[in-house]
Amino acid sequence: MKPFLALLDCNNFFVSCERLFRPDLTCRPVVVLSSNDGCVVSRSDEAKALGIPMGAPLFQYRRFFREHEVVQFSGNFELYGDISQRITRLLSSITPQIEVYSVDESFLDLSQLNISDYNAWGRAVRGRLLQEVGIPVSIGLATTKTLAKLGTEVAKRDPRSGGVLDLANLSPPERETHLARMPVGDVWGVGRRLSPQLRAEGVYTALDLSRMRARLAQQLFGIHGRQMVCELNGIRCHQLEPFGRVRQSVMHGRQFGEDTSQFAVIEAAVANLTARAAARLRTEQLLARTAVVYLDTNRHKPGYRRLQCTAGFDVPTADTGIIASRLVEALEAAFNPHLGYHKANVLLCDLVSEQALQTNLFGRGASASAGRDDSLSRLRAIDTINGRYGPRTVHYASEDLSAAWRPKRQSRSPHYTTCWEELPVIG
DNA sequence: TCTGGGGTCCTAGGACCC
DNA sequence: TCTGGGGTCCTAGGACCC
């Protein structure tokens, strides 16, 4: 049978990006930390072999890292995003039928390509990515997304695969062997809650799950359960989405460098988070009808609280000033100065495209729409300046009320590819 | 002292209507 | 006055993904 699609997954992506500019770190244990240097989000094979789990909190592992000479990096997400785009460009030259699923994974539709040997094709793509971008990948080929994910996992774990596995080209017993070796918790769509529930039903492996009756799976685990069983049996439930999904929301959030009860600090954080989220809306030519700000205390401490304020806009907007002032105003009314706040999130949702907003009960009048255009062109000018001269070249004064909320990034690598001042120097 | 950030989708429950 | 069923919409919370 022909595989309809391929999943291409970068190995230890963030670590691989750091190693691009630090070849001396090959074969050494390396980890990349989340923002605020909180916990481990990417591990080299050597770090995995030391038993460092995903999500390991830095404060618990500091000594361990020192003792085992683990090299740590603060997340340099600008760098990873840039490398990700290079990979997407290369893949798009192979086929335009590509779904960028995440920063380090893409699905490719193979049905329009003329391929005689799928394994050889996979190895060639893998070789090109290694040669032209420098990132090692694993490739799974199959008839459904869930099986392609499974193939990628096997390809990653089994060195004999050469980083490529075509499940569609295997005999049924061979395929079942791979499914039988995959713990059910590793199946795409089975998380930490579903996994014990499945085991309680006697379902321990991907093979067990594939043999479950679809109706029973739906009764027990909802529509997702049914889809997983079908996909494991080669019945496609999740189509490839080459144009990406229509965005539903934009969220921007940060843990503070230290907990705070001061409103000015929080106001600065909200202004900054709103500026980033609204700028993202503008680059995608979207406007928001609703904005929400969440203010959380530390959820790892007793008495965890969440404050939530919503602002609605009769005229959808991507104007940082309008959104931020409404959110700050709402927050001020609900603010409790006796709590220590740990984190803020700004969510922009109920999105509409700029073009779709041709007529509106409130925006139709000449003055109102002229006002909107003015505001948009002013903000676009700011975006252009910041794009050319660096982020925050022009920004709102309220963002500067305090810098106390800014996260820590003590071990960040340079912005090698996105900032002139930080280009790597050879010599 | 210190445990990420950014998303999507589904479901349950309440309000409301016919 | 009391009764039931069904539908929709909204929201909050949970589960999953990377």
Side-chain angles (χ1 to χ4, degrees):
Chain A
M1 199 190 295
K2 279 187 170 186
F4 295 127
L5 51 88
L7 172 65
L8 194 138
D9 190 340
C10 301
N11 299 348
N12 319 328
F13 182 55
F14 298 167
V15 166
S16 296
C17 289
E18 297 292 349
R19 277 177 169 165
L20 272 182
F21 298 91
R22 291 288 305 276
D24 57 304
L25 298 180
T26 312
C27 301
R28 290 193 58 188
V30 179
V31 298
V32 171
L33 304 168
S34 62
S35 87
N36 223 12
D37 295 345
C39 64
V40 172
V41 291
S42 182
R43 305 160 294 158
S44 69
D45 289 339
E46 299 76 13
K48 288 175 190 168
L50 284 172
I52 300 164
M54 190 68 165
L58 179 62
F59 76 93
Q60 281 173 4
Y61 277 82
R62 239 184 215 116
R63 198 170 142 194
F64 183 91
F65 287 176
R66 244 193 334 266
E67 284 170 2
H68 293 85
E69 299 186 331
V70 176
V71 180
Q72 65 186 54
F73 288 95
S74 304
N76 184 348
F77 299 100
E78 292 88 337
L79 173 67
Y80 313 149
D82 186 58
I83 304 298
S84 177
Q85 282 181 22
R86 295 179 189 199
I87 292 171
T88 303
R89 275 199 293 276
L90 195 155
L91 294 179
S92 302
S93 74
I94 295 169
T95 171
Q97 297 295 311
I98 165 177
E99 176 187 339
V100 179
Y101 179 68
S102 75
V103 71
D104 68 338
E105 280 176 76
S106 288
F107 288 104
L108 272 64
D109 185 338
L110 306 180
S111 55
Q112 308 297 316
L113 299 181
N114 189 13
I115 301 170
S116 51
D117 181 338
Y118 285 94
N119 273 306
W121 176 87
R123 285 193 297 274
V125 170
R126 195 175 182 280
R128 271 192 73 186
L129 278 162
L130 208 50
Q131 169 96 39
E132 295 178 31
V133 187
I135 298 289
V137 301
S138 302
I139 302 180
L141 300 101
T143 49
T144 67
K145 284 184 168 178
T146 305
L147 285 171
K149 291 285 283 189
L150 197 143
T152 308
E153 284 306 310
V154 176
K156 198 174 287 186
R157 290 174 199 181
D158 185 355
R160 289 170 302 174
S161 69
V164 179
L165 181 67
D166 178 6
L167 277 174
N169 191 33
L170 298 178
S171 68
E174 286 174 314
R175 197 161 43 239
E176 290 191 354
T177 306
H178 286 305
L179 265 70
R181 285 189 193 143
M182 174 78 53
V184 73
D186 291 352
V187 173
W188 193 40
V190 179
R192 66 182 204 291
R193 291 300 294 267
L194 222 50
S195 181
Q197 288 179 40
L198 281 161
R199 285 199 297 271
E201 294 291 326
V203 176
Y204 296 99
T205 68
L207 184 64
D208 294 340
L209 183 57
S210 75
R211 288 178 173 165
M212 203 172 183
R213 292 208 324 278
R215 230 178 104 176
L216 178 64
Q218 178 158 11
Q219 276 168 11
L220 293 173
F221 309 113
I223 191 69
H224 280 147
R226 184 187 194 100
Q227 289 173 336
M228 282 191 293
V229 172
C230 290
E231 284 245 323
L232 285 173
N233 286 289
I235 301 163
R236 300 179 79 172
C237 300
H238 306 296
Q239 304 302 320
L240 194 114
E241 299 181 58
F243 304 108
R245 304 225 167 151
V246 178
R247 183 190 276 283
Q248 309 292 316
S249 64
V250 172
M251 174 133 83
H252 225 77
R254 279 291 176 279
Q255 273 192 24
F256 305 147
E258 52 195 56
D259 291 3
T260 183
S261 311
Q262 293 177 52
F263 194 75
V265 176
I266 287 156
E267 187 176 349
V270 171
N272 183 274
L273 296 171
T274 305
R276 288 163 182 264
R280 168 55 63 96
L281 279 192
R282 297 192 294 269
T283 61
E284 299 187 18
Q285 288 163 33
L286 292 167
L287 305 168
R289 265 196 276 257
T290 307
V292 189
V293 58
Y294 304 91
L295 198 54
D296 291 37
T297 65
N298 190 338
R299 68 190 157 93
H300 298 286
K301 287 182 182 168
Y304 166 67
R305 290 275 301 279
R306 162 169 276 195
L307 206 64
Q308 175 180 344
C309 299
T310 303
F313 303 98
D314 293 331
V315 180
T317 181
D319 187 320
T320 303
I322 293 174
I323 300 171
S325 61
R326 287 280 305 281
L327 289 179
V328 167
E329 191 183 297
L331 208 48
E332 200 162 16
F335 185 69
N336 178 349
H338 303 298
L339 297 176
Y341 294 99
H342 186 70
K343 177 184 182 182
N345 281 291
V346 169
L347 173 73
L348 307 179
C349 52
D350 295 333
L351 306 183
V352 288
S353 84
E354 280 174 13
Q355 286 79 24
L357 197 76
Q358 295 297 333
T359 55
N360 174 287
L361 182 59
F362 300 100
R364 197 183 289 149
S367 60
S369 72
R372 197 177 72 231
D373 290 344
D374 277 359
S375 135
L376 256 183
S377 48
R378 173 171 46 82
L379 288 157
R380 286 223 195 289
I382 293 174
D383 293 339
T384 307
I385 294 168
N386 288 344
R388 187 173 305 164
Y389 299 103
R392 289 178 41 82
T393 304
V394 178
H395 61 270
Y396 281 82
S398 53
E399 295 178 50
D400 287 337
L401 282 172
S402 167
W405 64 277
R406 291 194 176 278
K408 294 181 277 246
R409 293 173 93 184
Q410 287 177 350
S411 323
R412 180 179 69 76
S413 56
H415 292 127
Y416 296 111
T417 62
T418 54
C419 177
W420 289 109
E421 282 73 36
E422 300 185 19
L423 281 181
V425 178
I426 301 168

